[in-house]
Amino acid sequence: MKLNLLTVMLLGSGLFLTACGGSDNKGDNSTTSTNVNADVNNIQNPVVNTPVPYVLEDYDKEYYTVPNAEEGVVMTYKMQGIKGQETQATALVFTPKTEPPAGGWPIVAWAHGSVGVGDDCAPSRNPIVRGGLLPDVHTQKMIDSFVQAGYVVVAPDYEGLGEPSGTEIHPFLHLKSAAYSITDAVVATKSWLGNKASNKWTVVGVSQGGHAALGAAQYAARANMDYKGAVALAPANNLEMIESLSDMA
């Protein structure tokens, strides 16, 4: 792979949450083990219906498109939820314009940072480039660079964020829930794209997503695919300290 995605960057952070958005604060470093025993994903027909185009009527196209992607879609998929039962979740999927190589496009899972806990905060319901005087284009450029290099990018909303029923709660910073949101989204992406996608996958995340990326590394065996590694940027950690500070505040 062109990027050294076997590197795990542990740049610890604390993380505080507001309704839709949050701020990240540095803390102690955290580590995790890899490929512990996990239930293998045996969910039948993991993709629910045909993925729909990622279109936001209230925003100009430049705010939600990825220039080098052939298409961007919102995929509803089945995952094992926090209660140990099958539930539905959503994810963005971006595919390259290039023809798949022999063996298919490798998959990169993008794990987003904190956006909030309400359904309206889900990344699939919002522009990649947030509006304002100084739009943040970093996520868009990163995803664009991946698809330009020939990777499929799947970006899960996480369990309970933007899910179809609108009744489930997002288990914020629950490691196994976040991990399964990622592993099961990767399985669903492979199922949807078939031979166009490779069995090779990796995960990249920041802040809450860095925490989720480490969880996906720990439970990578669940996908039963060719896991290559994780890049965890400023992963949320030292959660006992965060809880204590929250209680004090």
Side-chain angles (χ1 to χ4, degrees), residues 100-227:
W105 298 305
I107 299 170
V108 173
W110 163 243
H112 65 79
S114 62
V115 294
V117 296
D119 284 335
D120 288 341
C121 303
S124 68
R125 297 191 182 185
N126 289 279
I128 296 175
V129 181
R130 304 260 171 176
L133 295 176
L134 296 172
D136 179 6
V137 299
H138 301 299
T139 298
Q140 182 194 45
K141 287 184 176 180
M142 180 199 64
I143 292 175
D144 193 50
S145 68
F146 281 133
V147 295
Q148 187 177 27
Y151 297 90
V152 174
V153 176
V154 55
D157 288 333
Y158 305 146
E159 180 180 0
L161 274 180
E163 47 81 27
S165 73
T167 60
E168 296 186 22
I169 295 174
H170 170 50
F172 181 63
L173 290 179
H174 187 285
L175 187 72
K176 193 171 184 179
S177 169
Y180 280 27
S181 296
I182 293 168
T183 59
D184 293 8
V186 169
V187 170
T189 301
K190 170 61 178 172
S191 176
W192 175 51
L193 292 173
N195 292 335
K196 291 183 178 180
S198 169
N199 276 326
K200 298 177 182 178
W201 70 281
T202 190
V203 57
V204 183
V206 62
S207 190
Q208 181 188 1
H211 178 264
L214 294 179
Q218 183 172 345
Y219 290 100
R222 174 167 172 78
N224 198 26
M225 292 170 58
D226 187 3
Y227 167 70

Side-chain angles (χ1 to χ4, degrees), residues 10-15 24-30 235 237-238 241:
L10 302 176
L11 305 179
S13 75
L15 192 151
D24 302 333
N25 300 276
K26 291 183 178 179
D28 295 333
N29 288 344
S30 177
N237 66 87
N238 206 341
M241 181 190 72

